[in-house]
Amino acid sequence: MSKFIFVTGGVVSGLGKGITAASLGRLLKARGLKVASQKLDPYMNIDPGTMSPLQHGEVFVTDDGTETDLDLGHYERFIDEDLNKFSNLTSGKVYWNVLSKERRGEYLGKTVQIIPHVTDEIKSFIYSLSQKTGADVVITEIGGTIGDIESQPFLEAIRQIGIEVGKENRLYIHVTLVPYLASSKEHKSKPTQHSVKEMQGLGLFPDIIVTRSDEKIEQSIKDKIALFCNVRPECVIENTTLDSLYKVPLMLLDENMDQIVCDSLGLKTPKPDMTDWNDMIYKLDHPISEVCIGIVGKYTALHDAYLSVIESLNHAGIQNRRKVVIRWIESSDIRSDQDAQSLLKQCDGILVPGGFGNRGIEGMVIAARYARTHKVPYFGICLGMQVAVIEFARDVLLWSDADSGEFSETTSHPVIALMPDQMGNIPKGGTMRLGSYPCVISDGTLLRSLYKASEVGERHRHRYEFSNSLKSDFEKAGLVFSGTSPDGRLVEACELSSSVHPFFIGVQYHPEFKSRPVKAHPIFDGFVKASSEFSKSTAVSRDYN
């Protein structure tokens, strides 16, 4: 039987429950345990797939095509386990399932209620992850904050699981803010006390309290929290703000959190082997030099919209012993070649990430042209590949009106278009090419040299594809299609020959979803390496501010 760990949050949202859960998962895996993670989100959307990146941040995609909350990206990066459809549940999905069962008559005419029908649906989901993975430990994060109306069914469900599996098989961890008042020069425990009191009123009694603060908390405050919140003093774990999220597992290790968890759950394991993690942190703290990467995007007002891209650049920076400095460039601000020169001249590499809709597209096209003509390393992801194709069609093939069918219905050269079976009025949610698909890589290409493999599987999240009927025109003009689907029907990657450009590559998929802090994704690794070489070759004094 799996052991179940439930992570809740108190006082305010955005405390870092996901990082706490992911860090604990890393420590437990380093002890030799099989760990599975999931997040339960109280919002009513079926999934975050149709939510604005400027409100919700990025949508993380798993191998099986599930669109999930960005916290699952942290789980995968920290624990290095691929997640699936049992890793993210929303209120919308819960009620959809319950009402669908009611319509099918599965409740045999009973009155459908929050308890037991909704809570049973939630419990079934949690148990399913245990059954499907055979995990020693299942870590479940409850989204939102204690006291939120919409999260109450989830809290009731985990209360019931606690009774069903027994105290020796479950653990409640509560992550809570301990604010610092500059006027009185002290931390305050009262918000934590109130949060735990509210939690206790729901029948949930935390076993471990993780305190979030920007500075070290006085021992007297920790003792006070232990006394008033009914936990042992050693079970008040400090989680202070650090300069890197990847240092949190080591901080929790110093706080003995993993040992406390194992003792509480009766898990007999060796001490965690964190050798590879410590090596990664050493490289992180000891870069040889800096490299400036310009991210030209349309959601730059919220950096979380590109969270996995940021982390993948950092992973590559660590692997190359470079500190990656990101210059954020709103694509709508690039309206001319002069704008591109002004905004991009300080960049050692240019990355254009994914996105939807036509806002800011022309700025991305100009950025791709600047990178191509100035021989600045370029990496286009999903939409970033598509705008590179559009730019090449306009400036090299001289198809002045070349565009994507997503942005223009009148172009005579739709170099990016819907596939024939995608035509018509289709809904927005869950209808794209989602999840892992195989990509066959051509010999003698940059892509092949990076992957060192003839075939890979990468995750997708898009609807429009390269127009295969125009492929020969591009090839004659010098664009290399280095990755395709096994049947050759879909273009997965394109690039310029190394004789023409030092590093110019676009991929239709999202490699950022598979990068790890201890093993950078090969394309990001190559991109940062090429950008570092470009920085050396230009020897320009760069202002990274």
Side-chain angles (χ1 to χ4, degrees):
M1 182 181 190
S2 298
K3 306 288 185 176
F4 295 89
I5 298 174
F6 300 103
V7 182
T8 57
V11 184
V12 296
S13 60
L15 279 177
K17 298 190 302 297
I19 297 298
T20 299
S23 298
L24 175 59
R26 180 76 199 189
L27 293 174
L28 295 179
K29 183 177 179 180
R31 284 176 168 266
L33 295 168
K34 183 174 177 56
V35 179
S37 298
Q38 62 183 184
K39 185 178 183 186
L40 312 184
D41 279 305
Y43 51 73
M44 288 301 296
N45 303 66
I46 297 295
D47 58 45
T50 59
M51 296 169 72
S52 167
L54 289 171
Q55 179 191 38
H56 187 74
E58 79 169 5
V59 175
F60 190 81
V61 179
T62 59
D63 270 349
D64 65 0
T66 304
E67 294 176 286
T68 76
D69 183 85
L70 59 80
D71 273 322
L72 271 72
H74 290 311
Y75 299 160
E76 285 208 358
R77 287 186 285 271
F78 277 67
I79 305 172
D80 196 17
E81 294 286 346
D82 292 335
L83 304 182
N84 54 48
K85 65 181 180 180
F86 296 105
S87 300
N88 196 206
L89 181 69
T90 67
S91 289
K93 196 176 295 183
V94 171
Y95 287 107
W96 179 284
N97 291 344
V98 168
L99 292 174
S100 295
K101 288 179 179 179
E102 185 272 334
R103 291 290 85 186
R104 293 194 299 266
E106 292 186 24
Y107 296 121
L108 303 177
K110 294 178 182 177
T111 301
V112 178
Q113 298 175 293
I114 300 297
I115 303 172
H117 302 103
V118 170
T119 51
D120 280 353
E121 190 71 25
I122 297 168
K123 290 193 298 181
S124 174
F125 186 85
I126 295 171
Y127 286 135
S128 291
L129 182 62
S130 167
Q131 294 159 3
K132 296 292 183 181
T133 61
D136 298 310
V137 179
V138 173
I139 301 176
T140 302
E141 176 193 351
I142 312 299
T145 307
I146 293 293
D148 293 346
I149 292 174
E150 56 266 32
S151 65
Q152 288 183 3
F154 293 99
L155 298 173
E156 171 60 19
I158 67 172
R159 183 194 70 81
Q160 292 178 22
I161 288 178
I163 295 171
E164 292 168 2
V165 302
K167 185 175 175 60
E168 67 279 7
N169 293 313
R170 64 96 183 118
L171 196 72
Y172 298 120
I173 298 175
H174 192 52
V175 183
T176 175
L177 176 70
V178 179
Y180 178 80
L181 293 187
S183 57
S184 59
K185 297 182 180 179
E186 62 178 343
H187 287 93
K188 291 295 184 180
S189 66
K190 193 63 71 177
T192 295
Q193 294 178 45
H194 281 299
S195 179
V196 171
K197 182 180 179 181
E198 177 118 19
M199 192 172 175
Q200 291 171 338
L202 298 171
L204 294 166
F205 298 85
D207 303 289
I208 294 174
I209 294 176
V210 177
T211 60
R212 283 287 293 114
S213 61
D214 288 332
E215 313 88 2
K216 294 283 291 182
I217 296 174
E218 303 85 355
Q219 186 60 46
S220 60
I221 296 296
K222 294 172 71 174
D223 291 341
K224 190 173 183 180
I225 290 172
L227 178 64
F228 283 94
C229 297
N230 201 32
V231 300
R232 301 195 311 273
E234 64 269 23
C235 292
V236 179
I237 306 293
E238 208 169 340
N239 183 349
T240 55
T241 302
L242 300 174
D243 59 358
S244 170
L245 298 177
Y246 299 125
K247 295 182 179 180
V248 175
L250 301 179
M251 176 175 58
L252 297 184
L253 179 63
D254 289 340
E255 290 280 301
N256 209 33
M257 184 176 182
D258 57 311
Q259 187 63 57
I260 293 169
V261 167
C262 288
D263 290 344
S264 299
L265 294 173
L267 294 167
K268 306 298 182 184
T269 68
K271 294 291 184 181
D273 181 2
M274 297 292 285
T275 303
D276 58 347
W277 204 265
N278 282 313
D279 289 345
M280 179 268 295
I281 294 298
Y282 178 83
K283 292 177 183 177
L284 171 68
D285 285 339
H286 297 86
I288 296 172
S289 62
E290 291 185 343
V291 59
C292 180
I293 303 298
I295 296 183
V296 181
K298 54 199 297 181
Y299 313 121
T300 58
L302 182 66
H303 295 174
D304 271 0
Y306 303 114
L307 183 59
S308 290
V309 170
I310 297 168
E311 293 307 312
S312 298
L313 287 170
N314 289 331
H315 302 163
I318 292 168
Q319 194 156 293
N320 285 278
R321 300 290 296 276
R322 299 291 188 271
K323 179 182 178 182
V324 174
V325 178
I326 294 176
R327 178 182 288 275
W328 293 99
I329 301 159
E330 179 64 34
S331 59
S332 299
D333 293 339
I334 304 178
R335 294 175 290 273
S336 66
D337 290 336
Q338 290 73 29
D339 290 338
Q341 174 68 25
S342 173
L343 293 169
L344 299 173
K345 65 182 179 181
Q346 296 291 336
C347 299
D348 302 315
I350 296 170
L351 189 152
V352 178
F356 297 91
N358 61 7
R359 182 182 63 83
I361 294 301
E362 291 304 316
M364 294 180 181
V365 171
I366 295 170
R369 178 166 64 241
Y370 178 90
R372 182 177 60 81
T373 57
H374 288 75
K375 293 184 168 32
V376 182
Y378 178 88
F379 184 13
I381 298 174
C382 195
L383 178 61
M385 185 198 92
Q386 296 179 359
V387 297
V389 168
I390 293 170
E391 188 280 324
F392 191 91
R394 291 179 184 177
D395 284 34
V396 178
L397 290 170
L398 302 180
W399 297 344
S400 60
D401 72 335
D403 214 328
S404 166
E406 182 180 4
F407 314 133
S408 172
E409 295 180 355
T410 59
T411 175
S412 59
H413 293 93
V415 295
I416 306 294
L418 287 174
M419 299 298 288
D421 57 353
Q422 293 177 304
M423 299 296 185
N425 185 22
I426 54 177
K428 296 294 184 186
T431 58
M432 295 178 284
R433 187 148 70 103
L434 291 165
S436 184
Y437 287 84
C439 170
V440 175
I441 305 173
S442 302
D443 288 333
T445 60
L446 172 60
L447 198 66
R448 183 66 172 266
S449 69
L450 295 173
Y451 277 110
K452 297 179 173 58
S454 59
E455 184 173 324
V456 295
E458 291 283 4
R459 299 177 191 178
H460 296 65
R461 184 176 183 256
H462 67 99
R463 183 172 287 116
Y464 285 79
E465 307 278 359
F466 174 80
S467 297
N468 231 12
S469 61
L470 303 174
K471 192 174 178 182
S472 61
D473 294 291
F474 282 88
E475 289 175 327
K476 290 174 185 175
L479 192 63
V480 178
F481 295 98
S482 49
T484 65
S485 58
D487 61 4
R489 182 167 167 261
L490 301 173
V491 166
E492 295 283 9
C494 64
E495 61 184 66
L496 291 176
S497 167
S498 59
S499 62
V500 176
H501 197 288
F503 191 103
F504 193 100
I505 192 167
V507 295
Q508 187 59 76
Y509 47 81
H510 289 269
E512 69 269 25
F513 293 149
K514 299 189 76 170
S515 186
R516 303 288 185 262
V518 294
K519 187 178 181 182
H521 190 283
I523 304 183
F524 279 92
D525 177 50
F527 175 60
V528 168
K529 190 173 297 181
S531 299
S532 299
E533 292 300 318
F534 178 82
S535 178
K536 290 178 187 176
S537 67
T538 55
V540 174
S541 176
R542 301 188 184 284
D543 176 13
Y544 293 122
N545 297 319

